[in-house]
Amino acid sequence: MPSAAPPPLTDSDTFPIDASAVDVAWHNDDRNVWFVTAQGVMGHFEPRSPWGNTVFSPGSGVTGTANSVVSWTGHGVWTFITGEQGSAFVKCMTDGQYQVYPLNGATDCRALALGMSKEGRPRLVAPLISWNQLAFIEAGGGVSYSMMYPDGLYGIAIPAQQRGRYWLTSPGGKALVGYDVSTGAFGPAIVLGTEPRDVAAAPAGDVVWVATKEKVIFKYTVASGTLTRIDTPFTANHMLATADGTLWFVSTAGDAVGYVLPDKARASMIPTGQGSRPSGLTMSDDSRLWVALSGRNALRRVSRYRLAAISGDDQRTTVGQHFPKPFEVKATLLDGTPVGGQKIEFSVEEGTGVFENGEHTEVKHTGSQSEQLGVATSSLLTPLKEGPCPVTARWTETEAVASFTRLTVNPQPGRADRVRYVSGAGQTVPPGKSFDNPMKVIVEDIQGNPVESAQVTFRILGENMASFPGGTDIVQVPSGPDGSASSPVLTAGDKQGDFSVEVSADDTWVSLLLRQNIT
């Protein structure tokens, strides 16, 4: 029976449902989030106002356990039930009617996926754990099987754009295995070295993600055949790979939604509350992520908007000198679609720094064309005091935020106190030839901070031993923003021997002697 499910006032992104769901799937036919319980009972949540959910009374006659649910456009929503007496594919239509397609015996199944047959027809695919083979079910209910895989099968993922290529995990082989429907054969094992569990594939099929029994996920890049290990805050069960390259995952032991952003080698998480026990996740057609919370009999909605820092972090400067680079962010939907024309507010704590407008905040807009689509760039920030200087970018029309936290502001340097050698000493050239490398030093104050715009003097000691451009034996070079200064080209004289170059800065009494050789 339908039941109203208004969001609780304490959390506008959590919606109660009348069941404890173990998995969820978005169904295009009715634009609802469908769910299945551990007992194989199915229902759906309507993500519209007024919010509501329906749990369909079981009428299949099959009792047992279920672990996953799959939407099949035009053919209902499916699960797999494992019972003591037998196992079956179970379909539920949008009117709540169940249909059962039994197998000849009982076997476990942890995952389902929608794929294509050799003839190009859609079909459901299920790894049968205790039977060591795949089961295929057609839209009309016909069931067929693959050859056996001796090392066993567990999880399955089929890329949305490569329905004829299946990816499977093999616990016995501790491996990821491909299956090609054109040949009906399993591919060579991609050994992981640890027992794999669930698996997810990016829609394009270029990346496959493998969860393990440990707090580790492997990223397999298909083209290069490389594996990347990613440590996670909790073991991953259900996983979802989106088109922009992000991986999402949950676990009932984690009380959080985990994710790995594109080109990152570390996992982050969004807490869902103690005892929430996230158990499954899916993405709706408006790019919102929906998560089943089995511990609360609820669904959790994750914002459809994301703001990612692109560049500008990990910089340093001194008080009163602007950071070398601006801060750049990209506004996208959860599926990676960039969004142009959006207001992005860049800010620092008042009194910490100012942008080029003289304020601690400024508003920029994301670009609307080509490579700047969805990208917003700040002006240069000038810090006003030393220490950390975190910058926040906020997408004003949404709750999306990006932060730049690895910014360091050193105190304003004092007067030049010394020069520190970097490179260029100890070179040897024949008479009359130029030395290959300049002599480089860094000017520092008494605290060891680099000093900009100090006059660095390079003086050749020894008559007619060498010269700088113009035939002079002394030059002055200003130090740069990092305190460094490099000499002009040094050319050896006509006679052999050793000589030194004295290097000093401003009026400091401490100097360096850099030895050079002519042979």
Side-chain angles (χ1 to χ4, degrees):
M1 293 295 292
S3 174
L9 296 177
T10 56
D11 187 351
S12 60
D13 285 322
T14 300
F15 304 85
I17 57 175
D18 296 331
S20 178
V22 294
D23 198 14
V24 286
W26 175 256
H27 194 41
N28 286 322
D29 288 355
D30 58 5
R31 302 186 67 252
N32 288 331
V33 179
W34 281 67
F35 52 84
V36 66
T37 71
Q39 296 75 36
V41 175
M42 286 188 272
H44 63 64
F45 169 78
E46 301 170 14
R48 297 168 290 278
S49 182
W51 318 105
N53 82 109
T54 301
V55 178
F56 297 113
S57 301
S60 64
V62 177
T63 59
T65 59
N67 293 286
S68 63
V69 63
V70 171
S71 166
W72 189 345
T73 301
H75 298 285
V77 180
W78 296 69
T79 190
F80 187 96
I81 295 181
T82 300
E84 293 183 1
Q85 303 303 318
S87 300
F89 289 96
V90 177
K91 174 173 68 174
C92 188
M93 301 302 291
T94 55
D95 60 3
Q97 296 299 310
Y98 289 87
Q99 298 177 22
V100 180
Y101 303 93
L103 305 185
N104 295 322
T107 180
D108 296 331
C109 176
R110 296 286 303 182
L112 296 170
L114 185 64
M116 287 287 185
S117 68
K118 180 179 180 180
E119 296 75 25
R121 294 192 302 269
R123 64 183 182 184
L124 282 185
V125 188
L128 306 181
I129 295 176
S130 56
W131 291 6
N132 291 358
Q133 60 186 153
L134 298 174
F136 313 115
I137 185 165
E138 309 295 332
V143 181
S144 58
Y145 302 92
S146 73
M147 66 178 70
M148 295 184 65
Y149 190 77
D151 290 328
L153 302 170
Y154 187 93
I156 183 170
I158 302 177
Q161 299 172 26
Q162 294 184 7
R163 293 293 190 187
R165 183 69 185 273
Y166 308 165
W167 291 99
L168 307 145
T169 53
S170 172
K174 296 183 178 180
L176 174 68
V177 181
Y179 179 87
D180 190 342
V181 299
S182 63
T183 62
F186 294 97
I190 302 162
V191 179
L192 306 171
T194 188
E195 185 174 329
R197 293 289 178 160
D198 288 348
V199 59
D206 55 337
V207 173
V208 181
W209 302 83
V210 183
T212 70
K213 291 182 66 177
E214 305 166 1
K215 295 179 182 179
V216 173
I217 288 174
F218 286 98
K219 177 183 179 180
Y220 177 66
T221 304
V222 177
S224 61
T226 56
L227 281 169
T228 303
R229 175 191 168 112
I230 297 172
D231 295 322
T232 58
F234 50 84
T235 55
N237 288 339
H238 288 100
M239 300 191 297
L240 173 67
T242 53
D244 70 324
T246 302
L247 175 75
W248 298 88
F249 60 93
V250 294
S251 168
T252 54
D255 284 342
V257 179
Y259 62 94
V260 181
L261 293 176
D263 301 322
K264 299 294 184 182
R266 60 185 179 88
S268 302
M269 65 179 188
I270 303 170
T272 53
Q274 185 175 4
S276 56
R277 296 170 54 212
S279 53
L281 69 172
T282 189
M283 186 173 288
S284 57
D285 62 359
D286 63 353
S287 297
R288 282 186 170 90
L289 191 71
W290 291 90
V291 182
L293 304 180
S294 60
R296 292 185 178 173
N297 287 17
L299 299 182
R300 173 72 177 264
R301 179 181 62 190
V302 178
S303 171
R304 66 180 298 204
Y305 303 105
R306 191 173 75 203
L307 193 63
I310 299 176
S311 66
D313 213 356
D314 200 16
Q315 296 188 78
R316 63 177 56 244
T317 189
T318 58
V319 174
Q321 298 291 325
H322 61 68
F323 284 104
K325 299 178 182 179
F327 306 105
E328 193 172 62
V329 295
K330 188 170 186 177
T332 67
L333 300 181
L334 199 61
D335 63 0
T337 303
V339 185
Q342 302 299 302
K343 288 183 179 179
I344 307 297
E345 182 186 76
F346 294 91
S347 66
V348 293
E349 183 180 349
E350 190 169 5
T352 300
V354 292
F355 293 95
E356 291 180 5
N357 62 0
E359 304 291 337
H360 72 283
T361 65
E362 68 173 3
V363 174
K364 299 291 184 177
H365 288 81
T366 59
S368 300
Q369 296 182 352
S370 62
E371 69 274 4
Q372 291 302 307
L373 179 60
V375 175
T377 305
S378 75
S379 64
L380 295 177
L381 175 69
T382 300
L384 301 178
K385 64 180 183 180
E386 65 180 284
C389 185
V391 173
T392 299
R394 186 179 303 277
W395 187 346
T396 59
E397 294 90 346
T398 75
E399 68 276 23
V401 174
S403 298
F404 301 84
T405 58
R406 299 191 301 275
L407 302 171
T408 303
V409 183
N410 296 319
Q412 197 167 33
R415 297 180 60 184
D417 179 72
R418 56 184 178 266
V419 287
R420 175 166 58 85
Y421 170 72
V422 177
S423 62
Q427 300 181 74
T428 300
V429 298
K433 297 294 183 180
S434 295
F435 288 85
D436 292 334
N437 301 309
M439 293 167 284
K440 183 177 181 179
V441 298
I442 290 179
V443 184
E444 296 177 339
D445 67 8
I446 196 170
Q447 301 296 329
N449 299 308
V451 178
E452 184 179 6
S453 299
Q455 289 299 316
V456 180
T457 301
F458 294 86
R459 183 190 305 272
I460 300 171
L461 304 182
E463 187 175 356
N464 298 323
M465 293 302 298
S467 63
F468 293 112
T472 181
D473 61 0
I474 183 171
V475 294
Q476 288 189 326
V477 179
S479 58
D482 60 352
S484 67
S486 297
S487 70
V489 175
L490 179 65
T491 302
D494 294 333
K495 59 183 178 181
Q496 296 180 342
D498 300 338
F499 68 96
S500 296
V501 178
E502 182 185 58
V503 187
S504 60
D506 287 345
D507 299 324
T508 60
W509 62 272
V510 179
S511 61
L512 290 174
L513 290 178
L514 306 182
R515 199 76 175 170
Q516 307 290 14
N517 307 298
I518 306 173
T519 59

